[in-house]
Amino acid sequence: MFAKYIEFVIYALLIILTVYNIRLNMQMMKFKRKENIRTPDELNQIEGDKVNELTKNKKKWTVLGQLIFLFALYMAIVGTVVELAFFLDLYTVTTIVNNKLTYQILKFLIAEK
């Protein structure tokens, strides 16, 4: 009985996280189109260091997301649907974190007027 509740939560989270991720991607696309983006050469030292730090953090989350996606592919072959949904939940979370980090990087790269 308890397992059914956990399955429901996993599926509900997958739907909620996916919708949130799509919404975040749409906001990111609008943000990229509206603003003038500076090149990294135009940044001062403090901004450049912050962008480099965010980029390193983003790379770590990207690698983690790729590993989780590989586990999800493995679960699609040999696991159950619930296990697949769980790993897709985790992958979606890493994608959301990557999008948030990209947004922070873009905030530093926006041209000052």
Side-chain angles (χ1 to χ4, degrees):
M1 185 74 164
F2 186 66
K4 291 290 181 186
Y5 291 121
I6 292 177
E7 286 181 28
F8 175 76
V9 168
I10 288 173
Y11 292 137
L13 276 175
L14 183 59
I15 292 169
I16 292 168
L17 289 171
T18 302
V19 169
Y20 180 70
N21 192 28
I22 291 170
R23 185 171 164 244
L24 191 61
N25 280 331
M26 290 173 54
Q27 289 175 349
M28 186 82 63
M29 286 179 6
K30 289 178 186 176
F31 185 72
K32 285 180 182 178
R33 281 190 297 227
K34 286 183 180 179
E35 305 296 336
N36 295 330
I37 307 294
R38 294 184 286 178
T39 63
D41 297 335
E42 298 171 353
L43 300 175
N44 63 30
Q45 182 65 31
I46 296 170
E47 290 173 330
D49 291 342
K50 185 65 175 172
V51 168
N52 286 337
E53 178 184 328
L54 288 170
T55 303
K56 287 178 185 176
N57 199 8
K58 186 175 184 275
K59 286 178 185 178
K60 292 175 187 176
W61 279 98
T62 301
V63 170
L64 178 63
Q66 290 171 347
L67 287 173
I68 291 173
F69 185 74
L70 289 175
F71 282 124
L73 286 176
Y74 178 74
M75 287 299 140
I77 296 170
V78 297
T80 64
V81 176
V82 176
E83 293 169 338
L84 172 63
F86 175 74
F87 280 103
L88 288 177
D89 281 344
L90 294 177
Y91 176 71
T92 306
V93 168
T94 60
T95 305
I96 289 170
V97 171
N98 268 330
N99 285 335
K100 293 277 187 177
L101 289 170
T102 302
Y103 181 77
Q104 289 177 351
I105 291 169
L106 286 174
K107 280 179 23 180
F108 280 104
L109 295 178
I110 291 175
E112 297 174 356
K113 298 187 179 191

